[in-house]
Amino acid sequence: MSTTTTVPPRSAGPTGARIPRGYAVLVGVLAVGAAIGIGHLVAGLVSPSSSPYLAVGDTVIRYAPQPVTEFAKTAFGTSDKAVLLSVMGVILLAVAAAAGLLSRRSRSPGVRVVVVLGVLGLLAVATAPVFSPLDVLAPLASMAAGVGAFRLLHNLALSLDDPPAASGAAAGVSRRALLIGASAAVGAVSIGAGIGGQVLGRGVADSRRAVTASLARLRPARPAPAIPPGAAFPQLGTPTFLTAPADFYRIDVALRLPRLLADDWSMRIHGMVDNELTLRFQDLLDRPLVERTITMTCVSNPVGGDLISTANFIGVDLRDLLLQAGVRPGADQLLSTSTDGFTVGTPMSVLLEEGRGALLAIGMNGEALPQEHGFPVRMVVPGLYGYVSATKWVTDMEATTFAARSSYWVDRGWAEQGPIKTEARIDAPRSSASVPGGRVTLAGIAWSQPRGISKVEVRVDGGAWQEAQLAADVSGDTWRMWRADVDLAPGRHTAQARATDAAGNTQTETVADTVPDGATGWPGTTFSVT
């Protein structure tokens, strides 16, 4: 007589089979990953501004309280966007894992979580500053992919046997098969998204190469004067006079770089003008090009900070364009708008000031603008902090008033006017550095665009001020390097610096935060002499 053991059948549902925890997490993570990948791919192919993942990040930036924004810029600098995307990724990973764990018996909880995430992405895309009906395709595709992947993977996971109940075709899908199949599917999505992004990226690269070739052929009608020898002291620790594009500071609110080609670019100058202008990129190339050496400064730069860079910008004189448009009396603001909806308000009086040198720039250091610095066209205005002057990827300019229209950063508590303040920075010795005893060289930079620097003074341990040696002067629109030699005994010392501009204004000792119109105070460095 034999004994037969009967294995009860596994059935889906709340009282049936349960997916093992590890595989439940895998189901959730892979489903959300598929949603993100498909959404990003469709956005890249149809409307780059509609990627749900990046749209949510943009929404966080747009509505984050001002103190949070300033903390992120101070703590993470130019890595703030990467940090935000990383934090979002960690949060999504946790939510995806939780969705899988909640769905060990039934797929309903996980599907609901994926739908909620999809709705959030759809809302972020629909409420973006720049939106068109076509933009809904990416978040809808993302939601459909996430729900479909979750349902498929959940069904596969419920068919697992632990141990297998039978052999042959009815035994169900092995865990190894699930892992291989799901990983292959998500891998295919990731590769597809990457290929789509690379294709679009090559389009921008090709457009940049064509613009660089045009600039080399045309050459500026008014080139920038050559940088004189001795304009910088890099051997002493200061920057080189011109900043390489890769080292040029970048502060903006764009999580994704706009993929705008030069041939597709156009810009309208309208509002309180007599003659509306619509410009194409070729229209800029057909005008006399000018090259100007300009130091740009971010209003978020703390005392002694590094959010400042210098380049030779090539472009069209913006004042000439505004005069051609015929700005009407009473228009005290030019509201410029980026292709992603970001707005900047610039005082019209500055733009129309003869000799100020505001540019609609298309080139930087002899090449087309880098994509991250505004390709194909950006604004550059000497003497104003970037938040009121330096619109990247600019596609619209409206002559208006400060009373009628408010710009992005002004809405967040920054001042309407942003003239650059007289400042100095100590680059060497660095704080906490150890230097040989005897004669110690202090070195740094100073700036006060467009006035220029006439004097820099240093003092050590609160002693008397000593005038520093200035490097060759390039123009009032650029920074100026300085150095000072001091005799110091062994021990710990603190050095300070202050600058005086060409109008006789000396940098204030009063300490002020960056908000609302730029930081003030004397920079200092504490170091040891051995």
Side-chain angles (χ1 to χ4, degrees):
M1 183 176 179
S2 62
T3 302
T4 302
T5 302
T6 302
V7 178
R10 304 178 80 182
S11 58
T15 59
R18 296 179 64 185
I19 301 175
R21 286 187 177 85
Y23 283 91
V25 169
L26 184 65
V27 168
V29 170
L30 291 177
V32 171
I36 293 172
I38 288 294
H40 199 63
L41 174 62
V42 173
L45 297 174
V46 178
S47 176
S49 64
S50 64
S51 168
Y53 184 68
L54 297 179
V56 170
D58 284 335
T59 302
V60 171
I61 292 175
R62 199 160 59 248
Y63 293 106
Q66 187 271 330
V68 174
T69 300
E70 285 310 298
F71 168 77
K73 286 193 287 187
T74 302
F76 306 115
T78 55
S79 300
D80 56 348
K81 298 172 186 63
V83 171
L84 172 60
L85 291 175
S86 299
V87 170
M88 287 174 53
V90 170
I91 293 173
L92 273 177
L93 184 65
V95 171
L101 290 173
L102 290 172
S103 306
R104 294 180 64 197
R105 291 184 182 276
S106 169
R107 66 175 175 242
S108 296
V111 169
R112 292 192 190 101
V113 170
V114 173
V115 169
V116 168
L117 292 176
V119 170
L120 290 176
L122 180 61
L123 289 174
V125 169
T127 58
V130 177
F131 172 75
S132 69
L134 194 64
D135 291 347
V136 302
L137 292 180
L140 290 178
S142 175
M143 191 187 310
V147 170
F150 195 94
R151 292 170 63 93
L152 173 64
L153 296 176
H154 194 275
N155 288 342
L156 288 173
L158 278 177
S159 69
L160 293 174
D161 288 325
D162 183 20
S167 59
V173 181
S174 71
R175 295 182 181 181
R176 182 180 297 274
L178 172 66
L179 180 61
I180 293 174
S183 298
V186 174
V189 169
S190 301
I191 292 172
I195 291 174
Q198 287 299 320
V199 169
L200 291 172
R202 282 199 298 272
V204 174
D206 290 343
S207 185
R208 285 193 68 247
R209 280 192 289 270
V211 171
T212 297
S214 295
L215 293 176
R217 183 179 68 256
L218 295 172
R219 300 188 178 277
R222 285 178 283 167
I227 306 300
F233 305 126
Q235 71 279 9
L236 301 180
T238 71
T240 56
F241 194 85
L242 293 180
T243 309
D247 298 327
F248 207 97
Y249 81 89
R250 179 195 168 196
I251 295 291
D252 52 50
V253 298
L255 271 180
R256 56 182 175 272
L257 295 177
R259 296 180 179 129
L260 189 59
L261 306 184
D263 288 343
D264 297 334
W265 178 86
S266 68
M267 188 189 76
R268 189 165 68 112
I269 300 178
H270 62 105
M272 298 174 65
V273 298
D274 294 327
N275 308 298
E276 286 195 8
L277 300 180
T278 298
L279 301 168
R280 306 284 297 182
F281 195 83
Q282 187 60 46
D283 296 327
L284 302 183
L285 294 178
D286 291 341
R287 299 179 73 95
L289 297 179
V290 295
E291 182 182 41
R292 295 185 175 123
T293 307
I294 299 172
T295 294
M296 296 184 64
T297 311
C298 181
V299 71
S300 294
N301 197 35
V303 173
D306 60 359
L307 299 180
I308 178 170
S309 302
T310 300
N312 282 338
F313 289 98
I314 302 172
V316 171
D317 194 293
L318 183 52
R319 180 175 182 267
D320 290 347
L321 290 172
L322 294 175
L323 291 177
Q324 182 180 342
V327 178
R328 295 173 186 164
D332 61 6
Q333 175 185 212
L334 183 70
L335 188 78
S336 53
T337 304
S338 168
T339 188
D340 61 2
F342 176 79
T343 55
V344 167
T346 308
M348 190 69 76
S349 59
V350 173
L351 296 174
L352 293 177
E353 179 184 327
E354 189 172 1
R356 175 59 73 119
L359 284 179
L360 206 54
I362 61 176
M364 181 176 175
N365 290 348
E367 299 183 354
L369 290 170
Q371 188 180 1
E372 64 270 23
H373 290 296
F375 180 82
V377 183
R378 69 170 299 165
M379 278 179 64
V380 180
V381 184
L384 296 178
Y385 287 118
Y387 83 104
V388 294
S389 69
T391 315
K392 300 176 184 176
W393 314 291
V394 62
T395 57
D396 187 87
M397 291 182 171
E398 179 186 0
T400 181
T401 65
F402 283 109
R405 299 291 303 275
S406 185
S407 59
Y408 183 94
W409 285 115
V410 173
D411 286 339
R412 287 154 179 78
W414 295 82
E416 284 183 349
Q417 310 284 329
I420 292 175
K421 299 177 178 179
T422 301
E423 300 286 338
R425 186 181 81 189
I426 302 174
D427 291 322
R430 297 286 187 184
S431 289
S432 302
S434 294
V435 298
R439 201 156 184 80
V440 176
T441 298
L442 309 177
I445 61 175
W447 61 93
S448 185
Q449 310 95 297
R451 300 170 297 278
I453 295 296
S454 64
K455 181 171 65 175
V456 172
E457 300 167 286
V458 299
R459 70 176 183 180
V460 179
D461 300 330
W465 289 102
Q466 169 187 333
E467 190 165 342
Q469 174 190 342
L470 295 177
D473 189 19
V474 174
S475 81
D477 293 335
T478 66
W479 54 18
R480 196 169 185 183
M481 313 298 176
W482 59 267
R483 59 174 293 173
D485 297 324
V486 292
D487 293 316
L488 297 176
R492 193 168 177 81
H493 299 279
T494 297
Q496 292 176 296
R498 67 182 184 187
T500 300
D501 66 27
N505 303 306
T506 298
Q507 180 176 351
T508 179
E509 181 184 9
T510 303
V511 176
D513 194 10
T514 55
V515 182
D517 59 0
T520 61
W522 291 339
T525 180
T526 299
F527 55 94
S528 298
V529 174
T530 57

